[in-house]
Amino acid sequence: MFASISSAVLFGAEGHPVSVEVHVDKGLPAFSVVGLPDESVREARDRARAAVMSSGVSWPSQRITVSLAPSHGRKTGSGLDLAIAVGVLVASGNIPPESVEQLAFIGELGLDGSLRAVPGVAPMAGVLGESDLVVPIACAVEARLVALGRTRLIADLAELIAVLNGNAPWPEHQPDPAAPDPEPALDIADVRGQVVARGALEIAAAGAHHLLLVGPPGSGKTMLASRLRGLLPSLTRERALEVTMVYSAAGAGLPPSGLVRRPPFRSPHHTCSSAGLIGGGSQTVRPGEVSLAHCGVLFLDEIAEFGPKVLNGLREPLEEGSIQVNRSGMHTSLPAEFLLVAAMNPCPCGGGAPGACRCGDAALNRYVQRLSGPLLDRFDLRVNVDRPDVDDLLDNSAGESSAVVAERVARARDLALLRQGVVNSALGPNALDQFAPLEPSARLLLRHEMEHDRLSGRGYHRIRRVARTIADLRPVYPELVGEEDVALALRLRTSIGRALQIGRAA
Ligand SMILES: [Zn+2]
């Protein structure tokens, strides 16, 4: 007998519908899967057989052929287990075919018949049309977020067999107690002193300018960077859905409401591999840190310690805002539009107190060169962070809270979007004269810097974008970008430690 069961597979952060066709026929007992299954799908046979037998039904001692349609495109993951088991049960006469007609199935089977969560249920549920979707209890939030049909939660295969045979109603499982709310964002009021760096964070948030923090260990670079997230506005529903799909595909846990509404903050360690940072992998295509940071912040602490090849991989997402993946004839695109914040010591020895550095110029040069010119050039803001003074640490008066700063950031962002449709960092060179016109004195200052070789052509455009953001953050926003705005933008790009001044003209 024959059965056709609806299911889906995950590729990158996209779901693809799959029809699991099962044929059970007389012949020597055998089990074969066709339609480009990978190893994890082939193992489904063992899991499905054990699960069926644990549910009190005998496994057919016949020839079983499973075909995964469409036949092109590699199928990966254990999410097809449930559909394969149900297909065998229908084709062997243990479940009536009409009971599965309007249903789709996603889930991994345990040997005892229990149903387990798989990554990517949200993007997979989104491609299954109006079928009712049968998923493990743990996938309730993800499935309900996007599924058009009803979501049926099932604890194990025996329960499902009883329902499909009409011996029991659909169970009313309650989803597991929701994951705890994400921690509240850290408040910038906790940072003592660091006026320049705090200002740079605000500008970075308002204009989406990439930020490099340079300072000795213990100067609070990480403390500052981790507070950037609290300054960014919540995601729009459309953006939140994009981020949620990536989180679901990565198996990275969703908030209780299902939607990831806060901008993500990711800080991979410098030992992170290329696949870990950029995504990919040889078998399953997994979103990397750059995609998990989509619409949020990617923080690379000790950026000079990351492998050069790993850092080189940042070029594509920084330019395109996405990662293109090709595997066995399939193509997908993983979103990766993030605000890059990096931190590094001023030199290999860590620097520290003025005059304490023992590094020679050659060592310094090598250290800076680990950050290739094109990558260094991406940072519109390069800020020196010094260890806070004792006075600052003892000062009990808190600075502005994140809520206050975030309000200014949101206003400046709205302003930019209304004026030009994009954040300031995305303004093209030709759009600058229209949307960021300069006062004559500001123009003179920039010309002066270029004539003295302190500013390159690329740097010129970057300074103008940052200056636009600085002007937008003023209480009354001026149409013309002023000399003070340009002067501050210049200082925020060049006032970094000795090491990085080697490349200050960039
Ligand atoms: Zn040093």
Side-chain angles (χ1 to χ4, degrees), residues 155-169:
D156 57 42
L157 190 58
E159 188 176 73
L160 180 62
I161 294 170
V163 173
L164 295 180
N165 276 309
N167 299 330

Side-chain angles (χ1 to χ4, degrees), residues 80-428:
L80 292 172
D81 285 8
L82 181 61
I84 290 173
V86 169
V88 170
L89 289 167
V90 172
S92 59
N94 287 294
I95 290 177
E98 58 277 11
S99 69
V100 298
E101 269 167 17
Q102 296 304 318
L103 296 174
F105 300 83
I106 296 173
E108 177 184 311
L109 285 169
L111 300 183
D112 59 354
S114 59
L115 216 51
R116 296 177 183 162
V118 291
V121 166
M124 289 193 276
V127 297
L128 287 170
E130 292 182 356
S131 305
D132 290 351
L133 180 59
V134 182
V135 293
I137 299 168
C139 298
V141 172
E142 287 187 44
R144 285 182 176 150
L145 195 60
V146 282
L148 295 176
R150 276 172 296 193
T151 300
R152 303 295 197 186
L153 305 180
I154 286 290
D156 57 42
L157 190 58
E159 188 176 73
L160 180 62
I161 294 170
V163 173
L164 295 180
N165 276 309
N167 299 330
W170 284 104
E172 297 284 336
H173 290 296
Q174 290 310 309
D176 297 345
D181 273 315
E183 300 160 38
L186 301 163
D187 203 291
I188 197 160
D190 306 338
V191 179
R192 303 275 179 243
Q194 309 287 14
V195 180
V196 177
R198 280 196 311 200
L201 280 185
E202 179 173 342
I203 295 165
H209 302 287
H210 302 312
L211 167 67
L212 176 63
L213 299 167
V214 183
S219 55
K221 291 169 294 192
T222 307
M223 188 179 185
L224 282 159
S226 53
R227 278 154 179 80
L228 180 52
R229 174 195 211 190
L231 305 184
L232 294 169
S234 290
L235 305 176
T236 60
R237 185 175 164 80
E238 190 189 345
R239 291 299 218 168
L241 265 174
E242 285 174 27
V243 176
T244 303
M245 292 304 152
V246 175
Y247 270 65
S248 168
L254 300 181
S257 67
L259 272 189
V260 181
R261 286 236 177 241
R262 293 294 307 149
F265 179 87
R266 305 292 299 185
S267 57
H269 191 254
H270 60 75
T271 52
C272 182
S273 67
S274 253
L277 185 68
I278 309 303
S282 52
Q283 290 290 322
T284 20
V285 177
R286 288 206 169 278
E289 291 290 338
V290 294
S291 293
L292 288 164
H294 182 53
C295 298
V297 178
L298 179 69
F299 175 47
L300 301 184
D301 199 4
E302 301 189 50
I303 189 172
E305 305 296 326
F306 280 75
K309 251 183 74 186
V310 177
L311 288 183
N312 208 24
L314 287 173
R315 221 165 58 197
E316 183 186 348
L318 283 173
E319 267 164 32
E320 311 291 335
S322 63
I323 301 279
Q324 306 302 319
V325 186
N326 289 296
R327 290 277 187 294
S328 354
M330 302 240 310
H331 170 264
T332 191
S333 167
L334 287 163
E337 221 182 295
F338 51 83
L339 180 47
L340 178 61
V341 181
M344 66 189 290
N345 294 333
C347 65
C349 82
C357 173
R358 301 172 305 278
C359 305
D361 279 351
L364 268 177
N365 240 329
R366 273 199 307 278
Y367 182 68
V368 178
Q369 243 120 60
R370 301 172 86 163
L371 221 68
S372 70
L375 182 58
L376 186 60
D377 189 56
R378 291 274 170 191
F379 294 101
D380 291 349
L381 302 164
R382 309 167 187 175
V383 178
N384 219 12
V385 184
D386 288 319
R387 291 202 181 112
D389 289 342
V390 179
D391 287 350
D392 289 332
L393 290 174
L394 294 179
D395 183 8
N396 277 327
S397 60
E400 280 185 317
S401 71
S402 289
V404 172
V405 181
E407 214 166 287
R408 275 202 303 273
V409 167
R411 201 176 51 95
R413 278 197 170 228
D414 290 347
L415 197 65
L417 291 177
L418 264 175
R419 181 178 59 216
Q420 69 225 13
V422 292
V423 287
N424 287 338
S425 62
L427 275 175

Side-chain angles (χ1 to χ4, degrees), residues 3-81:
S4 177
I5 309 293
S6 292
S7 188
V9 290
L10 184 69
F11 185 60
E14 278 173 14
H16 292 268
V18 168
S19 210
V20 177
E21 296 167 359
V22 181
H23 192 249
V24 175
D25 200 5
K26 287 194 277 294
L28 286 176
F31 187 101
S32 56
V33 187
V34 298
L36 286 181
D38 80 342
E39 201 47 47
S40 59
V41 177
R42 273 187 235 116
E43 288 167 0
R45 170 191 57 178
D46 300 326
R47 288 190 298 268
R49 179 164 54 189
V52 165
M53 289 165 70
S54 299
S55 310
V57 179
S58 60
W59 185 258
S61 312
Q62 286 167 295
R63 179 193 294 274
I64 302 171
T65 309
V66 176
S67 170
L68 309 174
S71 57
H72 65 271
R74 189 157 289 282
K75 324 290 188 301
T76 62
S78 50
L80 292 172
D81 285 8

